[in-house]
Amino acid sequence: MTVARFRSVVIDCPDPLALAQFYAAIVGGTPRVEEADWVVLETPGAPRLAFQQAPGLTPPEWPRADRNAQQFHIDLDAGSTWEEIDAAEQEVLALGARLLHAEDKEDFRVYADPAGHPFCLCRIEHA
């Protein structure tokens, strides 16, 4: 027996519709405005993302842990080859993301979305 069912990951941001559109361009789906300060993005087979208006939000300082640290980040499967990762990187940068961290030895790259929240494009070996 479970205590509750998973509903949403909620992301605070200054402009909920703009950030929902950013993620929709990456993972698919159509943003749905439920209230002026609340937008939902549902994609088949994926967790529901909700975007909540937070005026004056100070984005996290990645990778700091001593002040204004990230509270979460989203990992996105961008493919199993470096060519797929490179192509995905070009797309997210064109959408307004900013590269925060990339190491040749790691299977992920860290970006900030337009509101400053970190997310990763991950290279995942598919079986």
Side-chain angles (χ1 to χ4, degrees):
M1 181 172 171
T2 62
V3 174
R5 291 178 298 207
F6 183 84
R7 177 72 174 143
S8 304
V9 172
V10 180
I11 301 171
D12 291 346
C13 57
D15 186 340
L17 182 56
L19 198 57
Q21 290 169 331
F22 171 82
Y23 281 103
I26 296 171
V27 300
T30 302
R32 183 178 73 246
V33 177
E34 293 191 349
E35 296 179 30
D37 62 351
W38 184 268
V39 178
V40 172
L41 177 63
E42 294 188 56
T43 57
R48 172 181 131 137
L49 294 176
F51 302 87
Q52 175 177 272
Q53 188 173 39
L57 175 79
T58 301
E61 296 178 43
W62 189 91
R64 294 188 74 121
D66 58 339
R67 70 164 204 248
N68 201 29
Q70 69 174 339
Q71 297 174 0
F72 74 95
H73 73 269
I74 298 171
D75 282 349
L76 301 172
D77 178 346
S80 60
T81 69
W82 287 113
E83 291 78 18
E84 290 172 301
I85 300 300
D86 291 341
E89 176 175 86
Q90 292 309 307
E91 296 223 14
V92 300
L93 293 174
L95 291 167
R98 184 170 41 92
L99 180 65
L100 296 177
H101 175 81
E103 292 283 331
D104 289 338
K105 298 174 272 188
E106 297 172 334
D107 285 341
F108 64 91
R109 295 178 188 162
V110 184
Y111 304 84
D113 68 23
H117 299 292
F119 71 95
C120 297
L121 292 179
C122 302
R123 187 176 72 86
I124 306 294
E125 295 292 333
H126 297 199

